[in-house]
Amino acid sequence: MILPIYIYGQTVLRKVAQDIPADFPDLPVFLRDMFETLTASEGIGLAAPQVGKDIRVVVIDLDVLADDMPEYKGFKKAFINPHILEYDDSQTDSMEEGCLSLPGIHEKVTRPTRIKVRYEDADRVAHEEWVGGYLARVMQHEFDHLDGKVFVDRISPFRKTMIKNKLKSLLQGRYHCGYRTKAALKR
């Protein structure tokens, strides 16, 4: 089932998500719904708060980038209870980011190029590893959602002032996108 994407201003996007227990009901169904939603919205990553759930679940599908980044051919993965354990700040990179919850907004964000993460896969097998490159950026962006943050929280105050009207439009439900959404509609 394709779920609506919660838009900037929804309170669930500012909550710190909770780890889910081993007996979390219908996890495979929820993961399938998240992947379907991600595909329908033409995104590469989706966090549970973006579909209204304050739980630590993320899905990432980088296979759509395989023509430009062949190393991600077939990469489609769920991350359960993910946490970033360490940032390697020795090298950072600035790149434009966008977000399904902030349609029409794209800004350069500087992030470390390597992180150490802990998570469980879809089979609930635990992993702890260093991740680098573009995947590290996507993970940081999506895992931020689990900590109540969105990418515009990581841009300069000057840039945030420059996009103030765009953010206000999102809060008022004035935006266009090609996927199902649930707007905050704060006036």
Side-chain angles (χ1 to χ4, degrees), residues 11-165:
T11 56
V12 70
L13 295 175
R14 293 304 190 177
K15 287 184 178 179
V16 174
Q18 300 300 307
D19 281 351
I20 61 171
D23 62 348
F24 186 81
D26 299 322
L27 181 60
V29 173
F30 182 62
L31 292 176
R32 184 194 68 220
D33 291 348
M34 285 191 66
F35 275 116
E36 282 183 30
T37 302
L38 180 62
T39 300
S41 57
E42 299 181 355
I44 57 172
L46 185 65
Q50 293 180 274
V51 293
K53 306 287 184 197
D54 62 344
I55 56 175
R56 295 190 80 85
V57 175
V58 165
V59 296
I60 296 175
D61 182 354
L62 297 182
D63 184 60
V64 297
L65 305 175
D67 287 346
D68 296 324
M69 299 178 179
E71 66 270 29
Y72 295 122
K73 178 95 176 118
F75 188 98
K76 185 174 182 178
K77 197 168 182 178
F79 299 87
I80 314 300
N81 298 331
H83 293 272
I84 296 175
L85 303 177
E86 193 176 335
Y87 295 89
D88 178 355
D89 292 323
S90 65
Q91 190 172 16
T92 60
D93 185 31
S94 286
M95 186 179 282
E96 190 172 272
E97 292 186 16
C99 182
L100 296 173
S101 293
L102 289 99
I105 298 178
H106 297 86
E107 290 289 326
K108 277 197 174 210
V109 178
T110 301
R111 296 186 187 271
T113 58
R114 209 168 81 100
I115 55 173
K116 186 175 186 181
V117 295
R118 180 181 61 224
Y119 63 92
E120 297 167 26
D121 61 28
D123 296 321
R124 302 306 296 261
V125 175
H127 300 267
E128 187 172 305
E129 61 195 23
W130 281 96
V131 177
Y134 191 69
L135 177 58
R137 172 172 294 279
V138 175
M139 289 173 114
Q140 288 174 80
H141 177 109
E142 298 306 331
F143 295 2
D144 271 356
H145 282 297
L146 305 178
D147 294 325
K149 295 182 172 102
V150 293
F151 81 95
V152 294
D153 297 336
R154 299 204 177 272
I155 63 176
S156 72
F158 173 74
R159 287 301 312 154
K160 200 156 185 183
T161 299
M162 296 299 292
I163 64 168
K164 186 174 86 174
N165 286 336

